[in-house]
Amino acid sequence: MRARTLKKNKVHVVTLGCSKNLYDSEVLMGQLKANKFEVEHETDPDDAAIVIINTCGFIGAAKQESIDAILRYADAKKRGFVQKLIVTGCLSERYKGDLEKEIPEVDAYFGTGDLPRLLKTLKADYKHELVGERLLTTPRHFAYFKISEGCDRPCSFCAIPLMRGRHVSIPLETLVEQSKRLAAGGARELLLIAQDSTYYGLDLYGKRRLADLLKALSDVEDIGWIRLHYAFPAGFPDDVLDVMRERSNICKYLDMPLQHVSDRILASMRRGSTKAKTTGLIAAIRDKVPGIALRTTLITGYPGETLKEHEEMLDWVRDTRFDRLGVFEYSHEENTFAFSLRDSVPAKEKKRRAQALMALQQGISMELNAAKVGKTFQVLIDRKEGGDYIGRTEHDSPEVDNEVLVDAAKHYLRIGDFADLRVVGASEYDLTAEPV
Ligand code: SF4
C-alpha cells in the first residue's frame, strides 16, 4: 500500500491513563514545539512521521489498552504510515525489557523520567528554561496542575511507586510562577493533581505545606477555581480544610480515594486507616467545609474480600452518601505487596460487586441531584455539544463527574466563562439549567 507523504518534523502524541500522564504529554509537547517540531495530540493520525505513545501501566485493563495502542501503531509502521515509533510512560517504565522483546517494531522505549533522553533520540534538546511550560491539551480555561511526582505510601495493591518513584514535591514558588503563566494564558481553573497531594512538602520542607500552597495559588489573579484531587486519608492535614472554607476560589470539592472500609482489608491494604478514622474524617471534612462535595474511589474483590465485607462497604456507602464515586475491580499486580496474597475473588464476582456499588451510587446521585432543582450555581462553561452548552459546577471535575446542560437554542453562553445558572432539571449524573 502506498505510504502517505509523511512530515519528518511532525509528531503525533497519544496519551493513555490518568491526568498526570496527560500533564507529562503536555510537557513533552511543549519541549517538542520549542524544538521546532509540529505537534498534534490525539487527533486522527494523518501525516506525522513520528508517533509517541505515552502509556499507562496501572492495572490490567489499562495495561491492555496501552499494549493495543502500541500494536496498532506498530502495524501502521509496518504498512508505511509511521516512520518512527516511540513508547514512553508507566507501562514502558515497568515492562521495558519484555516490550522490547515482544514488540520490536518500536524504535525506542523510555521510562517516566526519561524526557531528555527521549528528546535526544529525535535530535532535540531538553530546554531547562521551559520547565513547567506545556502545550495544553485541555480547553485553555482549565489545566491539570501537577504539584509533585511519585509516592512514598506502601499501599499493598498499588504499582504506581514502582513506575513513578519516591514522592518529590515541586517547590511552592515554582508552582506559583507556573500558575501565573497559566492564568495569563487564559486558565481560570487549576486541577491540583499528584499521586498523594496531601503529602505535599513533607519531602522538601520537612512538613506538610498543602495549605500554604493552596493559599498562595488562591492569591493568583484570575484563577477562579482551584480543585484538589488525590488526597490521602491517613494524616490528612486539617489546615487544608480551613483554607478551603475561607477562600472562595478553592472549590468546595475534595477527591480522596478511600479504597475500602473494612478494618481487616484496610490493614491488609496497608492504608494506615480504619473504618472509624475514615468515617470520623469524613464527618470532620463536612463539618469544617459546609456544602463540600466528596469524591472517592473504592476497590472491589481485594484478595480475601468476603461477601460480608463487601456488604459492609455497601452499607457504608449507603450511609455516607458520597457525591461522586468511582469503583475499580481489584487487579493482581506483580511486584506489589498484595501479589503475595491469593487473588481469591473470581473476576465475575469482582464485576458483580463493582456493579452493585455503582447501582447504589446511581440512586444516591439521583437524589442528590434532584435536591439541586431550583437552586443557583456558578457554572464553568466547557464546550458546546449537540444542542447544548456543557458546563460544571464547583462540585464537578472534568471527565469524571457530573455536567450541567444548557439549551443552546434558547440561551447564549461563552465557553470558558463562569455563568450563574438555575437548575431546572436533574438526572442521575447531569443537571439541566438556565441563566438566572
Ligand atoms: S497513595 Fe495512591 S499512588 Fe500512592 S501507593 Fe497508595 S494508591 Fe498508590
Side-chain angles (χ1 to χ4, degrees):
M1 184 167 323
R2 188 179 63 75
R4 270 167 271 195
T5 317
L6 300 176
K7 287 187 179 170
K8 287 206 172 328
N9 76 324
K10 187 167 180 181
V11 183
H12 178 75
V13 176
V14 178
T15 304
L16 296 143
C18 67
S19 52
K20 285 148 276 188
N21 234 20
L22 190 65
Y23 177 100
D24 293 351
S25 288
E26 293 175 344
V27 170
L28 163 66
M29 294 196 294
Q31 289 280 343
L32 288 168
K33 194 153 184 250
N35 279 279
K36 307 278 178 273
F37 281 88
E38 201 183 327
V39 191
E40 62 184 18
H41 186 251
E42 304 264 327
T43 52
D44 277 342
D46 49 4
D47 52 3
I50 306 162
V51 170
I52 302 177
I53 307 174
N54 188 7
T55 58
C56 175
F58 181 38
I59 54 174
K63 293 191 286 189
Q64 192 53 52
E65 198 190 351
S66 290
I67 291 165
D68 293 346
I70 300 172
L71 291 172
R72 203 166 50 246
Y73 284 99
D75 177 59
K77 186 179 173 210
K78 267 189 257 170
R79 295 186 294 126
F81 291 99
V82 173
Q83 276 167 6
K84 206 176 189 63
L85 178 56
I86 290 174
V87 171
T88 186
C90 292
L91 186 82
S92 188
E93 174 73 35
R94 197 170 168 195
Y95 300 107
K96 188 164 182 277
D98 302 335
L99 290 166
E100 281 170 342
K101 271 191 240 114
E102 284 157 30
I103 317 177
E105 292 82 0
V106 172
D107 294 276
Y109 288 93
F110 294 97
T112 50
D114 286 344
L115 182 54
R117 274 192 331 110
L118 187 161
L119 290 167
K120 212 165 179 187
T121 308
L122 299 173
K123 302 193 178 40
D125 310 320
Y126 180 72
K127 300 190 181 294
H128 290 276
E129 70 278 14
L130 282 184
V131 169
E133 291 281 331
R134 316 177 252 153
L135 211 55
L136 289 188
T137 59
T138 52
R140 73 191 192 99
H141 59 266
F142 74 80
Y144 291 104
F145 197 69
K146 190 152 83 170
I147 65 172
S148 62
E149 181 57 279
C151 187
D152 286 5
R153 301 277 180 185
C155 306
S156 65
F157 52 84
C158 184
I160 292 174
L162 303 172
M163 302 177 284
R164 294 275 168 177
R166 301 292 308 263
H167 185 104
V168 180
S169 301
I170 299 172
L172 194 143
E173 300 69 29
T174 309
L175 290 171
V176 171
E177 266 324 296
Q178 289 175 4
S179 68
K180 286 181 180 163
R181 282 205 293 269
L182 285 166
R188 295 293 167 264
E189 177 185 13
L190 299 181
L191 298 108
L192 270 53
I193 56 174
Q195 305 304 348
D196 171 4
S197 55
T198 37
Y199 205 93
Y200 180 76
L202 267 176
D203 57 311
L204 198 53
Y205 307 109
K207 62 177 182 166
R208 295 175 189 274
R209 291 200 65 195
L210 181 58
D212 294 341
L213 174 62
L214 287 171
K215 267 189 224 155
L217 295 175
S218 162
D219 290 337
V220 172
E221 225 175 304
D222 293 332
I223 295 291
W225 278 354
I226 296 161
R227 186 180 301 282
L228 187 54
H229 279 263
Y230 301 105
F232 194 87
F236 186 94
D238 281 352
D239 54 359
V240 163
L241 302 175
D242 302 328
V243 181
M244 260 188 177
R245 188 182 57 250
E246 288 152 14
R247 300 290 180 115
S248 60
N249 63 349
I250 298 180
C251 294
K252 304 296 175 276
Y253 175 93
L254 181 67
D255 164 49
M256 183 167 65
L258 294 167
Q259 312 302 4
H260 213 287
V261 72
S262 131
D263 285 344
R264 189 190 70 80
I265 296 211
L266 284 170
S268 173
M269 284 181 164
R270 310 198 304 181
R271 295 286 292 177
S273 193
T274 63
K275 183 174 185 175
K277 282 184 186 159
T278 307
T279 308
L281 174 61
I282 291 169
I285 292 171
R286 285 175 166 163
D287 180 51
K288 284 202 163 177
V289 190
I292 191 168
L294 283 179
R295 155 170 270 280
T296 198
T297 42
L298 301 171
I299 293 177
T300 60
Y302 182 80
E305 184 192 54
T306 62
L307 198 52
K308 198 156 171 287
E309 285 160 340
H310 166 62
E311 279 155 7
E312 179 186 5
M313 186 139 77
L314 273 174
D315 292 343
W316 182 69
V317 165
R318 193 175 290 112
D319 298 342
T320 311
R321 296 174 68 79
F322 288 101
D323 301 85
R324 316 280 179 254
L325 177 75
V327 179
F328 284 100
E329 293 154 38
Y330 171 75
S331 180
H332 209 41
E333 294 300 319
E334 67 271 10
N335 302 324
T336 63
F337 178 79
F339 197 67
S340 62
L341 308 171
R342 196 166 66 80
D343 184 11
S344 57
V345 182
K348 231 170 142 201
E349 179 57 11
K350 284 180 183 145
K351 190 176 284 301
R352 188 197 66 76
R353 292 180 188 182
Q355 286 165 345
L357 275 166
M358 286 316 292
L360 172 62
Q361 182 61 23
Q362 193 171 351
I364 292 170
S365 189
M366 183 65 231
E367 288 165 18
L368 294 172
N369 276 351
K372 291 185 173 138
V373 174
K375 295 192 175 139
T376 296
F377 292 89
Q378 186 190 41
V379 173
L380 181 55
I381 308 302
D382 284 330
R383 64 187 190 281
K384 192 174 176 196
E385 198 177 287
D388 293 310
Y389 290 104
I390 315 267
R392 289 171 291 114
T393 72
E394 69 173 319
H395 300 147
D396 299 298
S397 195
E399 311 275 335
V400 290
D401 292 331
N402 294 10
E403 292 186 319
V404 181
L405 284 65
V406 179
D407 186 343
K410 291 192 191 138
H411 308 286
Y412 171 73
L413 294 168
R414 213 167 45 181
I415 291 165
D417 273 9
F418 289 104
D420 291 331
L421 305 179
R422 184 176 33 255
V423 177
V424 293
S427 65
E428 288 93 344
Y429 297 120
D430 291 327
L431 301 170
T432 46
E434 57 189 31
V436 292

